[in-house]
Amino acid sequence: MRRWARRQPKVLLVVVVCAFFIVLYVGIRLLILFDWPALPVSFHQLFNSTPRGGMQDLTTVSAAKQLILLAGQSNMAGRGLLAQAPSYLVQSPFSDKEDLNFHGADRVFRWTMADEWEVAREPLHWDVDTSKPGGIGPGFVFTLHLRTLLHGKGSESPLLGPVGVIPCAQGNTRIEQWKPGRGFYYERMLSRTKAALGSHPQNNLAMLLWYQGESDAIEADDAQKYAERFRHMLTSFREAIGRPDLPVVMVLPYVDAPHRMPLIADVREQQKTLLGTIPNLIQVDSKGLPLHQDNIHLSTDAQLQLGQRMAAAYLDARFDQFVHDI
């Protein structure tokens, strides 16, 4: 009895410590299950028993791909809630929905910050825009909906084969921070694009999706010089990758936050002046889509709608080329 009495505090301490870690583990698993927005993305990765994107098909991972570049700021990176997204966006992309062409060689892949391909799933920007918890953006929905539309039209576009998305968006960035030669985010975008292209000799950069401008709606100088700065950035990027005709889908941003971003109308007007003056530029308006409570970021449903709008606009502008050239 005396020996047990001496050991009892130690046994009790072990029990308490074990109970603490059990509760901690269960608690984190529940937070992941219910997609608690303040939970760091690293916890999702640490406690996920399967690799991001599921099991890899090495033959398809190493195949040539049509590449889609995603760039801009937070609404491109995505702030839509994962818990409200369709399951096929956040789970491994194996689906019975044949119209989405998920299976086999038709999978969509994501270029990671480790310069590797993995099967894509949301959040696409989890290791790129690490300033906020990853969320739903328009890029993945755009890719899947475009493939659905192309399939429905009987197209033989290579975009129905393996596709790789290159996430490069960064929240809270001005166009000046994407300045060639001086802007960190421009240089990162260029470097990642070249690395993804170089992963297979037959890879092709199909397009750039650009959604940015909210942060340029704060200062008059930024708003008034938006068109000039964007044109310089895009011209330099096209030259750097040898694609002067690279198609670009630009989203016109809209926020309802006059005290934080009072010049959004000026930025939008600057962007509109680019249409018709830059080859292969397609514009899609986000105005009217539902916003989060901050009146700046698109809701999950809005991101789904926007991705579909962008795909339809791209197809309307480019389908004749698919028919005649492919």
Side-chain angles (χ1 to χ4, degrees), residues 140 205 243:
F140 200 7
L205 184 60
R243 287 290 308 279

Side-chain angles (χ1 to χ4, degrees), residues 6 27 29 41 54 102 125 135 142 144-145 189 192 221 287:
R6 288 195 299 269
R29 294 292 297 187
V41 173
F102 281 125
H125 281 79
F142 167 88
L144 299 179
H145 193 61
M189 174 177 68
R192 282 175 54 73
D221 185 65
K287 189 173 184 178

Side-chain angles (χ1 to χ4, degrees), residues 249-310:
V249 181
M250 169 187 274
V251 178
L252 303 182
Y254 180 76
V255 301
D256 187 15
H259 297 295
R260 295 182 60 185
M261 298 172 179
L263 303 175
I264 192 66
D266 299 85
V267 172
R268 287 166 54 85
E269 288 304 313
Q270 282 279 306
Q271 291 175 326
K272 290 176 182 179
T273 65
L274 297 168
L275 194 61
T277 66
I278 294 180
N280 288 342
L281 177 67
I282 303 161
Q283 291 187 340
V284 177
D285 203 338
S286 66
K287 189 173 184 178
L289 292 173
L291 301 170
H292 281 311
Q293 292 182 349
D294 63 4
N295 290 326
I296 294 174
H297 296 105
L298 295 185
S299 68
T300 305
D301 183 61
Q303 291 285 15
L304 302 181
Q305 293 182 53
L306 178 61
Q308 294 176 7
R309 284 187 189 181
M310 294 166 70

Side-chain angles (χ1 to χ4, degrees), residues 121-134:
R121 69 180 187 186
E122 293 284 11
L124 293 181
H125 281 79
W126 75 268
D127 58 347
V128 180
D129 181 8
T130 58
S131 60
K132 298 285 184 179

Side-chain angles (χ1 to χ4, degrees), residues 130-202:
T130 58
S131 60
K132 298 285 184 179
I136 303 296
F140 200 7
V141 177
F142 167 88
T143 304
L144 299 179
H145 193 61
L146 178 61
R147 289 156 66 90
T148 301
L149 295 176
L150 287 168
H151 181 75
K153 289 182 176 289
S155 171
E156 297 181 1
S157 167
L159 286 165
L160 285 172
V163 171
V165 294
I166 312 171
C168 291
Q170 183 69 41
N172 196 32
T173 53
R174 298 174 296 114
I175 189 67
E176 183 72 4
Q177 294 173 276
W178 295 81
K179 185 174 182 178
R182 293 178 57 187
F184 169 81
Y185 301 109
Y186 172 87
E187 299 302 328
R188 184 177 71 175
M189 174 177 68
L190 181 59
S191 173
R192 282 175 54 73
T193 301
K194 288 182 175 180
L197 282 168
S199 67
H200 193 285
Q202 295 180 5

Side-chain angles (χ1 to χ4, degrees), residues 7 30-31 58 62 101 105 121 127 130 172 184 199 201 214 243 269 271 307 315-316 319 322:
R7 291 182 178 177
L30 288 173
L31 291 174
L58 296 180
S62 61
N101 294 303
R121 69 180 187 186
D127 58 347
T130 58
N172 196 32
F184 169 81
S199 67
E214 297 93 332
R243 287 290 308 279
E269 288 304 313
Q271 291 175 326
L315 195 61
D316 287 345
F319 185 69
F322 289 132

